[in-house]
Amino acid sequence: MAAPVDLELKKAFTELQAKVIDTQQKVKLADIQIEQLNRTKKHAHLTDTEIMTLVDETNMYEGVGRMFILQSKEVIHNQLLEKQKIAEEKIKELEIDQLQRLAATTDHHQFPATVEDQLCRDPPCRARLPSVRLWCPLSLPLDRKNPIWSAV
């Protein structure tokens, strides 16, 4: 009778571990993309501030692929502002997506009290299960009354 419970627990933890790993990878990827977009935004801002110090009638060359196109200062300024705006919008989208992903993962980490009690009372069962460390954005401590599990 205890064997089916052990298999169910093992399956549940394996599924959760896979979800947690998948979410962690996606969050890391989103962080990398956000950092890149912040660098792009900062580069465009610094370039724009330098360009604005020049005389208004100054013509400039814009790099397009392997060639350069002669453009006015105003056109380059507008392109840099648009680049900053697009980067900011993408950053906001990634941050919202990241928060939704973490919230969805945290919602799946709620277990019924019977599963938690089984894990706490049956050390041999706990030893056979893969170690799963779950993360909660609220950083709540592991509590028998609280169904959300958290880790470092």
Side-chain angles (χ1 to χ4, degrees):
M1 184 92 175
V5 175
D6 292 348
L7 293 175
E8 290 173 12
L9 286 173
K10 186 173 183 177
K11 182 180 177 185
F13 275 107
T14 305
E15 289 173 5
L16 275 175
Q17 192 173 29
K19 287 180 184 178
V20 168
I21 290 170
D22 183 50
T23 302
Q24 286 174 346
Q25 289 173 347
K26 289 179 181 177
V27 167
K28 285 180 185 178
L29 179 63
D31 284 339
I32 290 168
Q33 290 174 341
I34 289 171
E35 287 176 17
Q36 179 63 35
L37 288 168
N38 279 329
R39 280 193 295 269
T40 301
K41 188 174 113 178
K42 186 175 182 178
H43 183 267
H45 175 71
L46 292 173
T47 304
D48 189 44
T49 54
E50 287 298 318
I51 286 174
M52 294 311 291
T53 61
L54 300 172
V55 182
D56 288 338
E57 294 81 30
T58 306
N59 286 326
M60 301 174 195
Y61 288 99
E62 175 192 4
V64 179
R66 295 173 65 179
M67 66 180 184
F68 296 94
I69 299 174
L70 188 63
Q71 299 281 358
S72 68
K73 176 183 168 186
E74 185 178 335
V75 171
I76 301 289
H77 172 69
N78 290 337
Q79 287 176 350
L80 291 171
L81 290 179
E82 184 67 24
K83 196 175 199 180
Q84 290 176 26
K85 182 180 168 186
I86 290 170
E88 187 63 36
E89 290 171 358
K90 286 183 182 178
I91 288 170
K92 286 180 184 177
E93 288 175 11
L94 285 170
E95 287 174 346
I96 289 170
D97 185 44
Q98 195 173 24
L99 289 174
Q100 289 173 345
R101 205 176 302 246
L102 287 173
T105 304
T106 303
D107 290 344
H108 293 305
H109 293 168
Q110 297 181 359
F111 290 98
T114 56
V115 174
E116 190 174 327
D117 290 340
Q118 175 71 27
L119 286 174
C120 294
R121 280 190 265 143
D122 190 10
C125 174
R126 219 178 357 188
R128 287 191 301 269
L129 291 175
S131 82
V132 176
R133 301 203 78 181
L134 306 175
W135 179 84
C136 174
L138 304 175
S139 298
L140 298 174
L142 179 60
D143 187 4
R144 299 188 106 225
K145 296 175 185 172
N146 186 351
I148 300 176
W149 294 20
S150 65
V152 181

